[in-house]
Amino acid sequence: MTTATHDSSPAAPHPGRTTLARARKELRLEPVEGLPRLVGRTLHRLLFRTISMIEQPIETFGEPVTPTRGWFRRDRHRHPRIDPTDYRLRIEGVAAPRSFTLDELRALPATTRVTVMECAGNGNHWMGSCGLVAQGVFRGPSLATLLDACGGPGAATHFAFHGLDPMRPLRPGYHYGLSLDELTRAGAIVALEMNGTPLPRARGYPARLLVPGIYSMSHVKWLGRIEGLTRPHRGFWNRHVFVNKRRRAGRWQKEEARWIGLKSALTRCLAHGDGWMLHGFAWGGGAPVDRVDVTFDGGETWHAAEVLGPTTYLDDPPADPEALRYAWWMFRIPFHPPAPGRYRLGSRAVAADGRVQPLEPDPDVRGHFDVVHVKWRDVTVPPT
Ligand SMILES: Nc1nc2c(c(=O)[nH]1)N[C@H]1C(S)=C(S)[C@@H](COP(=O)(O)O)O[C@H]1N2
Ligand SMILES: [Mo]
């Protein structure tokens, strides 16, 4: 499948290498919240690199499908080197447990998914920016196909997915669990390919779970074992790491990260005619994005952007609408600042089911995950 950028889509070079000439072609959108504001972008990047958390600079967004090179990274450091001839995917706790070789996985009917992948902590107060999100084209057998090849799920109502990345002394490997109902609603697949090539090693070669619509802590890389269970997986990462607290009837209760909430982000501000064009993405929320409103004055007034869905921005979209259900929307809107100076920009997604991206954090939620409120950006417009 090929992808196209629409006419003024910003498939522009890396903004890190800003020259004076380029500076007038693009303005930097600075996150208003987050740790980089306090410690500086460079130190922030270095600090987070030590925990294998690497954002892609938000300004490199622009392509409908994020190039594999430069894709954000988030893992527990160790990237196992897996020999494809020795590799096995074991499926246990189902009607007829069995293993698959890589060739057997490749021989099964494959499903394509064009989908957003987003770390549950994207855009939180540690990160500030919005660089732990990307969109890829993934392909491999669906989980349903694999389960059929095992005689069905049997008694299993939940599944745990185990990675082959070693994590001793902490745990033997990374693992995450979801219910069969969630996996079915998401249309989960076991991805063998990403953006038209076999998965690179850092992305989980030879197989990774992909759960469209659910945050990517569940997209287990270097997938080695699928364990059918008759109760929710009570794993360390499920219960203690990817959790927020939510206040219900006055009581704070733990809540595991799950479905990606309705969001949008302004990504680039590019020279356009005698003014500027703002570009961004909107995603999440489970329903189609209906509208994206943009403010140039810190939220006093809002203006509807032009919004393009995946069937428009992809050259050759897959025929099956399921393949695109969790793809992002692209938006753009002209920006004509009345004078040089500093402007506070923000974007706000509105979904077809009427839900609106909130302006402020929810006072009934505490934690680092599923941060959905408007991602404010400051921009300094130079004199012409
Ligand atoms: N085996 C394994 N899978 C993993 C992880 C990991 O540490 N080990 N990290 C998870 C988290 S928290 C995220 S956000 C995504 C990141 O995927 P990426 O590094 O391909 O961007 O992988 C998920 N899958
Ligand atoms: Mo993550």
Side-chain angles (χ1 to χ4, degrees):
M1 193 183 77
T2 53
T3 56
T5 48
H6 53 80
D7 54 7
S8 66
S9 174
H14 197 289
R17 287 172 246 132
T18 307
T19 62
L20 201 61
R22 268 189 48 64
R24 285 195 217 101
K25 292 199 183 131
E26 176 158 15
L27 301 180
R28 183 177 280 284
L29 303 178
E30 291 166 40
V32 171
E33 297 167 76
L35 192 62
R37 297 275 293 183
L38 298 175
V39 302
R41 269 199 302 262
T42 310
L43 180 59
H44 183 268
R45 230 180 132 66
L46 287 173
L47 280 174
F48 280 82
R49 195 172 271 270
T50 64
I51 57 161
S52 207
M53 181 133 146
I54 303 175
E55 288 195 283
Q56 50 204 16
I58 194 74
E59 302 90 331
T60 60
F61 287 68
E63 304 277 355
V65 172
T66 314
T68 309
R69 198 166 159 266
W71 186 279
F72 78 91
R73 189 173 116 192
R74 179 73 191 110
D75 48 47
R76 313 311 118 185
H77 268 301
R78 307 287 296 275
H79 295 174
R81 200 177 286 282
I82 292 167
D83 180 343
T85 52
D86 293 345
Y87 173 78
R88 297 288 181 278
L89 174 61
R90 278 195 292 149
I91 307 192
E92 300 165 352
V94 291
R98 60 166 285 190
S99 294
F100 293 85
T101 64
L102 188 52
D103 283 342
E104 286 169 336
L105 290 178
R106 286 185 181 140
L108 290 169
T111 301
T112 298
R113 295 270 181 261
V114 182
T115 184
V116 167
M117 183 180 295
E118 185 181 17
C119 176
N122 185 37
N124 69 20
H125 44 272
W126 295 111
M127 305 315 296
S129 182
C130 190
L132 296 175
V133 60
Q135 174 156 281
V137 181
F138 296 90
R139 195 167 162 76
S142 69
L143 185 68
T145 300
L146 281 171
L147 293 179
D148 280 349
C150 298
T157 53
H158 292 76
F159 285 88
F161 299 86
H162 298 264
L164 296 166
D165 39 343
M167 260 180 283
R168 278 178 278 273
L170 199 65
R171 293 280 145 135
Y174 182 81
H175 46 88
Y176 201 83
L178 291 173
S179 71
L180 180 56
D181 180 53
E182 288 163 337
L183 292 157
T184 305
R185 275 163 61 202
I189 68 169
V190 170
L192 307 175
E193 286 177 24
M194 170 179 184
N195 296 346
T197 63
L199 283 177
R201 181 167 161 226
R203 305 291 150 212
Y205 178 85
R208 106 179 273 179
L209 184 71
L210 188 96
V211 199
I214 291 187
Y215 282 112
S216 57
M217 71 277 149
S218 61
H219 301 203
V220 175
K221 304 197 263 190
W222 313 288
L223 184 63
R225 188 160 65 94
I226 300 179
E227 185 191 2
L229 301 164
T230 52
R231 48 168 180 74
H233 176 56
R234 293 172 61 78
F236 172 71
W237 307 96
N238 275 81
R239 293 180 65 206
H240 300 299
V241 181
F242 300 108
V243 284
N244 275 347
K245 282 196 172 159
R246 182 182 286 278
R247 186 161 51 191
R248 283 206 179 86
R251 289 189 52 219
W252 291 94
Q253 289 169 328
K254 277 190 175 182
E255 187 176 66
E256 291 184 17
R258 277 292 183 279
W259 297 90
I260 299 176
L262 177 65
K263 302 180 192 186
S264 65
L266 287 161
T267 55
R268 305 192 74 172
C269 178
L270 298 176
H272 185 84
D274 58 353
W276 303 92
M277 183 69 86
L278 290 166
H279 296 263
F281 295 110
W283 70 97
V289 170
D290 193 42
R291 217 174 71 223
V292 180
D293 293 334
V294 175
T295 178
F296 313 118
D297 53 14
E300 300 264 312
T301 55
W302 295 86
H303 314 270
E306 181 191 357
V307 180
L308 302 173
T311 50
T312 310
Y313 65 66
L314 293 174
D315 243 2
D316 184 15
D320 177 9
E322 265 312 285
L324 299 172
R325 194 141 72 100
Y326 295 100
W328 58 27
W329 273 257
M330 301 177 81
F331 67 86
R332 59 187 173 191
I333 186 168
F335 173 41
H336 289 288
R342 219 159 155 71
Y343 292 84
R344 178 147 300 178
L345 313 176
S347 65
R348 207 177 182 192
V350 181
D353 62 6
R355 259 175 317 146
V356 182
Q357 189 182 355
L359 288 174
E360 301 289 340
D362 183 342
D364 291 326
V365 177
R366 278 194 205 141
H368 310 311
F369 304 114
D370 192 33
V371 176
V372 292
H373 68 272
V374 168
K375 297 168 197 316
W376 299 103
R377 299 288 183 249
D378 280 347
V379 69
T380 304
V381 177
T384 39

